[in-house]
Amino acid sequence: MPDSASQSASDPASRSASDSASHSASGSARPVSRRTFLHRTGAGAALLAGGVLAGGTAAAAPPARRAAAAAGIAPGDLDPLALLRKMLAFDTQNHGEGGVTRPHAEMLKAVWDSAGVRSEIIPTPKKDNVHLIARIEGTTAAAPLLLLGHSDVVPVERAKWSVDPFAGIVKGGEIYGRGALDMKGANAAFVSALLRHLNEGGRFERDIIVLTDCDEEAGPHGSRWLAEHHWDKIDAGMVLTEGGWFLAQKDRRTPMLITVTRQDKVYFNLDITAGGTATHSSKPNPDSAIATLSRAVAHLDGWLAPVTLTPVTREYFTALAEATSDGAFRKAVKLMLAARSRPALERAAALVVKRSSYPWLHRALLRTTHAFVIEDAGYKENVIPSTATVRINCRGVPGGQRPRDFLADVRGRLKDRDVTVTLAGNPGESEEDALKRLDETFAKPPSSIDSPLYEAISGAAAGTYPDAVFAPALFEAGTSLAPWTSRGVPGYGVYPYVLDNDQLIGMHGNDERITVEALKQGTEFMYRLFDRFRTR
């Protein structure tokens, strides 16, 4: 996926010469800043991966870059693929109570040390489950930019992988591994792009904090715990983490839509429980808790919550209609956006999902979703159990159907199924208290698009993917942004690589992977994003 943006105007040697010329012409003792020069000329920042342009040599590089390189930044750390393979080699599986992240953090700390960047490992009460914080010092007192990337990953079903999930294997142009997409791939792009700037002797207008946290995939010591105990180390003015998808056209490779998420869906769980008579398994009876539960699950599985279009999702689907080259899909999206009645909206939304190259994603963005995730029944093969429970993970659209209304809807649909439906709140929390908490999350507005970080994301998208459409979006999943957004700090999300639907489905699944070329182009995107904050 070639980058068609101009490179010649961003040649660091040419830039240095131009800055010097401006300095000499003005007679000022203060040279024109890099940012001022680039903005005046409209130049981009398309450097080659190694930081030295074609036709140049290391000896011709500016002194600042030579000095940074002498600090010991390993060439492999400037290569996002090599860095990602390092990250994937660490088994940081989180089964629900946190993972072992210290070895991964120590490796990454060594990378920062080699670049001359101050970093610190923050232990949590759980052994070897740690956070890593690196801080690149800026030139002003502007509020820091924080990059939030988690080191833990969900567990793997090794027997269902075609490769070792912790070997970082490349085949068919794709890099496989648990976390390749979510989110060690994004971390590799973030870090490699920053190291390229440092390798050039770059300075930033504000501190850049890189937090590699733990317990994002569940556990008590994640970003909330860190914010409670070490807020001074992660206090920032804007935050970037995982989220927005970079989608391809129907050919599965041409960039179509580049999104940045500014809001997460509302996360909550329901438990459906059935009761029955416990007895010896030699005497099956019609009063089976498992059978009763199964019938209720089958009934609910065939139902979809009502479609909701909010200002955030309406803007997303409007951009999608503009971006797609598929005429039939575009027509379906426009029909949905123009619908004026509930039946028309539901029919058009079903057609959108049917025509979409990313059907599961687009179905999830349109409504509250419910997924059957954990079933608990029985304890011995010769005993028919008296209870059976299934956990349903739900994700609500902020500004759409309230969680309390979704709960009432589910209860109404199962009222004749001999089951109980309960909201799984926090320990010791009443149902009403849990619903009030969810009401607050539901009502929280999306992050503002009036910020230097949003502007930088937009500019990087235009420069890296000039033929794609850029848009803000809703994230169908969740992130660790709450400690910042709850304080009014804008938070955004990107997975900086173009994905097809099969790769998207691999998230938290088997054979998780991204393409090597998409990772490289995504790192270029991140390089351009950080370039907006450089002072030289």
Side-chain angles (χ1 to χ4, degrees):
M1 289 178 275
D3 182 356
S4 61
S6 170
Q7 292 184 350
S8 60
S10 60
D11 183 330
S14 300
R15 181 178 64 233
S16 179
S18 299
D19 285 353
S20 298
S22 299
H23 173 77
S24 298
S26 66
S28 169
R30 187 173 184 179
V32 176
S33 74
R34 179 178 190 274
R35 164 176 279 192
T36 300
F37 175 74
L38 290 177
H39 284 187
R40 286 178 183 173
T41 62
L47 294 175
L48 297 183
V52 179
L53 293 171
T57 65
R65 191 194 307 175
R66 293 200 302 271
I73 298 176
D77 297 334
L78 295 170
D79 176 6
L81 176 60
L83 184 56
L84 176 54
R85 294 187 72 180
K86 278 187 184 180
M87 293 177 176
L88 293 175
F90 292 92
D91 182 346
T92 55
Q93 292 179 87
N94 183 343
H95 292 269
E97 295 298 328
V100 175
T101 60
R102 179 178 286 277
H104 179 276
E106 290 173 343
M107 176 278 293
L108 201 51
K109 186 177 190 307
V111 170
W112 290 120
D113 288 347
S114 74
V117 175
R118 177 166 51 91
S119 62
E120 179 183 10
I121 290 176
I122 307 294
T124 72
K126 180 173 180 177
K127 178 178 171 58
D128 292 330
N129 194 32
V130 305
H131 300 274
L132 174 68
I133 302 173
R135 183 181 289 260
I136 302 170
E137 294 184 1
T139 59
T140 74
L145 162 62
L146 187 142
L147 304 175
L148 172 60
H150 61 86
S151 58
D152 59 327
V153 297
V154 297
V156 298
E157 298 175 294
R158 284 181 181 266
K160 295 188 178 181
W161 281 65
S162 66
V163 299
D164 182 343
F166 300 104
I169 291 173
V170 177
K171 67 173 186 175
E174 295 176 300
I175 170 73
Y176 286 68
R178 174 57 86 220
L181 190 164
D182 178 23
M183 73 170 287
K184 290 178 179 178
N187 293 344
F190 291 178
V191 174
S192 293
L194 281 171
L195 291 178
R196 280 175 58 188
H197 282 291
L198 296 176
N199 199 42
E200 297 161 10
R203 297 293 304 278
F204 299 100
E205 66 180 15
R206 64 187 70 217
D207 286 7
I208 296 181
I209 304 169
V210 184
L211 167 59
T212 309
D213 73 342
C214 62
D215 283 16
E216 194 279 338
E217 300 289 5
H221 305 119
S223 62
R224 291 181 187 273
W225 177 90
L226 188 64
E228 290 173 3
H229 294 83
H230 300 282
W231 177 248
D232 59 312
K233 299 179 187 295
I234 57 173
D235 188 1
M238 45 198 174
V239 184
L240 179 65
T241 190
E242 60 189 328
W245 298 113
F246 293 10
L247 304 183
Q249 296 284 6
K250 205 168 185 178
D251 64 8
R252 300 162 63 101
R253 62 180 183 275
T254 304
M256 172 181 69
L257 184 66
I258 308 302
T259 69
V260 54
T261 45
R262 53 193 290 237
Q263 188 176 39
D264 296 347
K265 290 186 79 174
V266 182
Y267 182 109
F268 60 102
N269 290 310
L270 304 181
D271 287 334
I272 301 177
T273 303
T277 301
T279 187
H280 197 285
S281 61
S282 64
K283 296 179 286 297
N285 64 80
D287 185 24
S288 165
I290 292 177
T292 299
L293 179 64
S294 297
R295 287 189 290 269
V297 166
H299 180 70
L300 196 60
D301 185 50
W303 168 72
L304 293 174
V307 171
T308 299
L309 286 173
T310 68
V312 173
T313 57
R314 185 172 286 276
E315 184 173 9
Y316 169 85
F317 281 104
T318 299
L320 183 61
E322 177 188 352
T324 182
S325 61
D326 183 337
F329 181 53
R330 180 187 305 111
K331 183 178 179 180
V333 175
K334 288 186 174 181
L335 279 173
M336 181 182 72
L337 293 171
R340 292 294 178 266
S341 68
R342 170 58 55 185
L345 179 62
E346 295 292 342
R347 286 194 303 269
L351 187 59
V352 166
V353 173
K354 180 180 179 180
R355 298 283 190 188
S356 175
S357 297
Y358 300 86
W360 296 358
L361 170 64
H362 289 139
R363 183 170 61 183
L365 292 175
L366 287 169
R367 54 175 54 84
T368 301
T369 57
H370 59 283
F372 305 100
V373 291
I374 302 173
E375 190 167 16
D376 182 18
Y379 56 90
K380 200 170 187 297
E381 64 189 34
N382 63 349
V383 178
I384 297 175
S386 62
T387 60
T389 300
V390 65
R391 169 65 55 91
I392 304 179
N393 181 242
C394 307
R395 314 278 179 144
V397 178
Q401 184 184 34
R402 294 191 305 169
R404 64 172 64 243
D405 296 331
F406 179 83
L407 172 60
D409 204 349
V410 171
R411 283 176 170 161
R413 291 179 179 277
L414 298 180
K415 61 183 174 58
D416 297 325
R417 296 283 168 169
D418 294 326
V419 296
T420 59
V421 181
T422 57
L423 176 66
N426 294 329
E429 187 178 44
S430 69
E431 180 176 287
E432 186 53 37
D433 286 342
L435 289 171
K436 288 179 180 178
R437 171 174 52 80
L438 292 172
D439 283 344
E440 292 176 1
T441 304
F442 171 87
K444 190 166 65 173
S447 290
S448 169
I449 59 174
D450 183 19
S451 74
L453 178 53
Y454 185 87
E455 179 185 350
I457 296 168
S458 176
T464 314
Y465 306 95
D467 297 324
V469 173
F470 173 78
L474 170 70
F475 191 32
E476 81 281 5
T479 67
S480 295
L481 282 172
W484 294 272
T485 56
S486 63
R487 291 170 166 84
V489 176
Y492 312 96
V494 295
Y495 284 112
Y497 18 72
V498 175
L499 301 166
D500 64 30
N501 190 57
D502 290 344
Q503 293 165 337
L504 184 61
I505 291 172
M507 179 185 188
H508 285 205
N510 300 316
D511 279 353
E512 181 180 350
R513 64 201 185 276
I514 58 176
T515 66
V516 173
E517 184 61 31
L519 174 62
K520 291 180 178 178
Q521 193 174 29
T523 304
E524 181 66 30
F525 166 87
M526 294 306 306
Y527 180 90
R528 290 173 182 267
L529 189 159
F530 297 136
D531 189 65
R532 310 281 288 201
F533 296 99
R534 270 183 69 163
T535 57
R536 73 167 192 226

